[in-house]
Amino acid sequence: MLEKQYWDHFGPNGETPWQFIRASSYAYVYAGENLAKGFRTSEGVVEAWMASPTHRANIMSGNYKDIGVAVVEGELLGKQTILVVQMFGNLTSFVQGVTEVPTPEVEPTPPPVKPKVVTGNNKVITPTEQGEIRSIQITSPENGVIYMDPSINVKGQTSNVEGEYIVDVVEGDKVIGSTKSNTSTWEVEKGSDWSEGEHKIIANLNGTQVKSLEVGFVMDSTAPTVDLETIMVEEQDNQYILKFSILGEFNSVNLILGSEILPVASVEGNQSITAVIPKDKDVNSVFINLSDKAGNASSTDVSEYFVKEEPEDESKNRIIPLIGLSVKDGINIGIILFVFTLLIIEIVVYARKGQLKQASGELFTVGAWWLVISIAIFNGFSGVIT
């Protein structure tokens, strides 16, 4: 690093920590690396590493059995400093009694106690630690929180990262978002594409091994709804029985009867609901209100299931009420009578001219069509097909 004047996990020509480890004939199965710069004491370095989630995870990991540490002082980019490289490895797949090492929880780190030096005149000097380690963390979303907004962005901050850098947000083995930043804070825009359910994400400095702790949160933006096909209302002597099923997880069920709220009891895990509504309640306006633990809510109007349909007064639509014909049927009768009248007139005219015999074929055709139309129209009186 001092020779090529850089401080990073990766060299300016793409060199990786892993090729350095293999070059020393260490055929690792697991490997990791921590870096630090500018610290004057080993206590200060360790305190800083243990306060950083990813550096602490390397130190505490059960994947590693061997360790190598290098401490070198020299000039880096015009400044005299001390570089520390800490490498971890394991030549076998054996780990400390586990097959998968969980990421340790980070406890709040108390302020470091500065080492004190007593001089010959008993004057106490407290040296100031000025060192750097690279780290990244996610500040939003927060671990263990339930969110209702599927458009929530991923936000975070970095320490000791200079210039422009790229942050990748990873879920599982897939990069779900990236952003560039040249400040200590960054934000990845997600739009509205967070799916329902649990998510576990980490942030990674692109091109390095610097990663954040995993953040787990739940996205719950969909409200429970009533399955309309299951709604049933049974009328009894002094009450109504309302039955329906709920789609999705729910926490509470209420009926809104006019201006009155009627809570409905439910059994956890049972999506079928039965509600008893006394007949002295206002059932002209009935709504089913549902909500879940996250606060998502829906409201369904079921008033129509309680309103009795009055029989339609067909006499209002009859052109001739006494014989029970509707307007449509009256028009059809008029067409038949008009065609029949034309047919009679045509027969009379041909008869007076003495041409009735010659026109019999034409008259027969007209009469046949009149008969077909009459049958079709009268047949339509029996019902309406849509």
Side-chain angles (χ1 to χ4, degrees):
M1 291 184 188
L2 291 177
E3 179 183 348
K4 296 189 177 181
Q5 290 294 288
Y6 75 94
W7 180 61
D8 203 330
H9 290 283
F10 294 85
N13 298 320
E15 301 93 336
T16 72
W18 327 125
Q19 72 185 60
F20 296 146
I21 296 175
R22 290 192 183 278
S24 65
S25 301
Y26 187 92
Y28 67 87
V29 175
Y30 299 102
E33 182 182 65
N34 284 346
L35 300 180
K37 180 179 73 170
F39 290 90
R40 303 300 303 179
T41 67
S42 58
E43 290 86 356
V45 174
V46 173
E47 286 170 354
W49 277 338
M50 293 300 284
S52 166
T54 52
H55 295 83
R56 185 180 191 273
N58 269 341
I59 294 172
M60 302 298 292
S61 175
N63 285 337
Y64 305 129
K65 293 176 63 179
D66 303 321
I67 186 175
V69 180
V71 181
V72 180
E73 184 173 2
E75 186 175 307
L76 179 66
L77 302 176
K79 182 180 178 181
Q80 197 71 16
T81 188
I82 296 176
L83 300 184
V84 181
V85 178
Q86 182 183 44
M87 287 185 170
F88 307 89
N90 192 342
L91 292 171
T92 70
S93 58
F94 173 79
V95 295
Q96 301 298 317
V98 294
T99 56
E100 182 178 352
V101 180
T103 303
E105 295 183 1
V106 179
E107 299 177 357
T109 303
V113 178
K114 305 297 183 182
K116 297 179 180 180
V117 178
V118 181
T119 63
N121 57 6
N122 293 325
K123 183 179 179 180
V124 176
I125 300 175
T126 303
T128 302
E129 281 282 5
Q130 293 181 348
E132 300 176 12
I133 61 171
R134 290 185 174 182
S135 64
I136 184 171
Q137 64 174 322
I138 296 173
T139 57
S140 177
E142 297 180 32
N143 192 50
V145 176
I146 298 176
Y147 291 90
M148 297 170 57
D149 181 7
S151 64
I152 183 173
N153 292 337
V154 183
K155 302 177 183 179
Q157 60 187 32
T158 58
S159 298
N160 302 313
V161 181
E162 299 176 354
E164 187 177 70
Y165 59 90
I166 298 176
V167 174
D168 295 326
V169 175
V170 181
E171 183 170 19
D173 57 356
K174 180 182 178 182
V175 177
I176 60 174
S178 298
T179 189
K180 291 182 180 180
S181 179
N182 53 15
T183 68
S184 62
T185 61
W186 51 269
E187 181 174 354
V188 175
E189 294 187 5
K190 282 291 293 172
S192 299
D193 61 349
W194 286 114
S195 60
E196 294 287 297
E198 185 178 5
H199 295 272
K200 294 181 179 180
I201 60 174
I202 63 169
N204 177 50
L205 277 177
N206 186 278
T208 76
Q209 295 298 307
V210 180
K211 300 179 180 180
S212 71
L213 276 180
E214 183 178 77
V215 171
F217 64 98
V218 175
M219 182 58 61
D220 184 0
S221 60
T222 302
T225 57
V226 175
D227 186 351
L228 300 179
E229 296 182 356
T230 64
I231 299 175
M232 293 179 60
V233 175
E234 179 184 346
E235 183 179 3
Q236 297 182 354
D237 292 338
N238 58 352
Q239 62 187 14
Y240 294 100
I241 305 296
L242 171 62
K243 297 181 180 180
F244 58 91
S245 295
I246 300 176
L247 301 175
E249 295 184 1
F250 66 95
N251 186 45
S252 66
V253 183
N254 292 308
L255 296 181
I256 310 300
L257 308 173
S259 60
E260 183 179 359
I261 300 177
L262 181 66
V264 178
S266 61
V267 179
E268 186 175 356
N270 188 355
Q271 301 295 110
S272 299
I273 302 295
T274 299
V276 178
I277 304 175
K279 280 195 173 180
D280 59 356
K281 303 293 183 181
D282 180 9
V283 292
N284 291 314
S285 175
V286 182
F287 286 81
I288 301 174
N289 282 9
L290 306 175
S291 63
D292 59 18
K293 292 181 179 179
N296 300 295
S298 69
S299 183
T300 304
D301 186 356
V302 295
S303 307
E304 61 181 304
Y305 293 88
F306 294 86
V307 178
K308 295 182 180 179
E309 295 185 1
E310 296 181 0
E312 185 179 358
D313 186 0
E314 295 184 357
S315 63
K316 296 180 181 180
N317 298 323
R318 293 173 182 170
I319 191 170
I320 309 177
L322 294 179
I323 61 176
L325 291 180
S326 67
V327 174
K328 179 180 177 181
D329 292 342
I331 293 174
N332 290 335
I333 291 292
I335 293 174
I336 294 173
L337 293 176
F338 178 72
V339 174
F340 181 75
T341 300
L342 292 179
L343 178 61
I344 296 300
I345 292 173
E346 191 171 6
I347 292 174
V348 172
V349 170
Y350 280 119
R352 287 182 177 182
K353 291 181 179 181
Q355 299 175 354
L356 187 61
K357 185 175 182 181
Q358 293 89 331
S360 60
E362 181 181 347
L363 295 174
F364 176 79
T365 302
V366 175
W369 275 113
W370 174 81
L371 181 62
V372 171
I373 294 173
S374 301
I375 294 174
I377 289 177
F378 281 110
N379 187 56
F381 290 170
S382 61
V384 178
I385 299 177
T386 59

